[in-house]
Amino acid sequence: MSEKKSIFKRLKGIKNIEIVIALILAAIVLLVFFGSFGQSSAKDNQSEYSFSEYVNTLQNKIETTISNIDGVGKASIVISFAGGIEQEYAYTTETVTQGSTVTEKNTLTLVSGKPVLLKEKMPEIQGIIIVADGAGDTSVRLEIIRAVQALLKVPNGKIEVFKRS
């Protein structure tokens, strides 16, 4: 108990303790504000590049996986997509009454001046081309096709495998 009293006496003895506490609280508030500010702007930039990053990541993962199959060797992959990302935004419906006429008006929902994105749907895979060292062997080619089918859930008619020259 005497230790607590001595701590309080020391704190009371510091000149302008209120100013020191206010500065510490202000610093904490600024850190929280700027910490969340940086995250939101990074998230905004991320959505602009998400499709190309998605494609690159997907191709790299498949290349790595296929290259690890016995007999494949080095592999390269190109994936083509039908269209682009489909984005669904939030809308609010307003009912406007003028006399006996009632009309509904859909308005894009905005938060901080930006539309509210509900979901993004990646486009359908149109075709896949794989070039691999070991693709000259029919059994290796079949293994590559089976692996890609398992990873991407696409029919084998959309997958072409070629031997690297």
Side-chain angles (χ1 to χ4, degrees):
M1 193 70 139
S2 62
E3 290 178 25
K4 287 183 184 179
K5 287 182 182 180
S6 66
I7 292 173
F8 287 121
K9 283 183 183 180
R10 288 182 193 165
L11 287 175
K12 287 181 182 180
I14 298 174
K15 291 184 180 182
N16 301 324
I17 186 72
E18 296 86 12
I19 294 173
V20 172
I21 292 174
L23 287 174
I24 291 171
L25 289 174
I28 292 171
V29 169
L30 288 174
L31 283 173
V32 169
F33 176 76
F34 285 116
S36 64
F37 179 77
Q39 290 174 352
S40 65
S41 61
K43 194 180 271 186
D44 293 341
N45 292 339
Q46 180 183 14
S47 64
E48 293 176 19
Y49 302 105
S50 64
F51 183 65
S52 63
E53 288 177 352
Y54 168 76
V55 172
N56 288 334
T57 302
L58 188 61
Q59 289 178 169
N60 290 337
K61 284 184 178 182
I62 294 171
E63 283 176 6
T64 302
T65 303
I66 290 172
S67 295
N68 288 326
I69 296 173
D70 187 36
V72 172
K74 185 176 179 185
S76 301
I77 184 169
V78 176
I79 303 173
S80 65
F81 293 87
I85 299 174
E86 293 179 25
Q87 298 175 327
E88 184 179 321
Y89 291 96
Y91 287 89
T92 54
T93 303
E94 298 175 27
T95 304
V96 179
T97 306
Q98 290 182 340
S100 62
T101 306
V102 177
T103 57
E104 290 187 352
K105 180 181 174 183
N106 289 330
T107 309
L108 189 62
T109 305
L110 301 176
V111 174
S112 301
K114 296 184 180 184
V116 176
L117 181 63
L118 296 177
K119 68 179 180 177
E120 285 185 333
K121 181 182 175 192
M122 294 301 170
E124 182 182 338
I125 294 174
Q126 197 169 27
I128 303 165
I129 294 179
I130 300 149
V131 178
D133 292 335
D137 182 353
T138 307
S139 63
V140 171
R141 182 178 291 168
L142 181 61
E143 291 293 317
I144 292 171
I145 291 171
R146 287 182 48 217
V148 172
Q149 281 182 308
L151 290 170
L152 299 178
K153 305 293 185 216
V154 295
N156 65 354
K158 291 186 175 188
I159 305 168
E160 293 293 332
V161 180
F162 301 98
K163 181 176 176 12
R164 184 182 305 277
S165 61

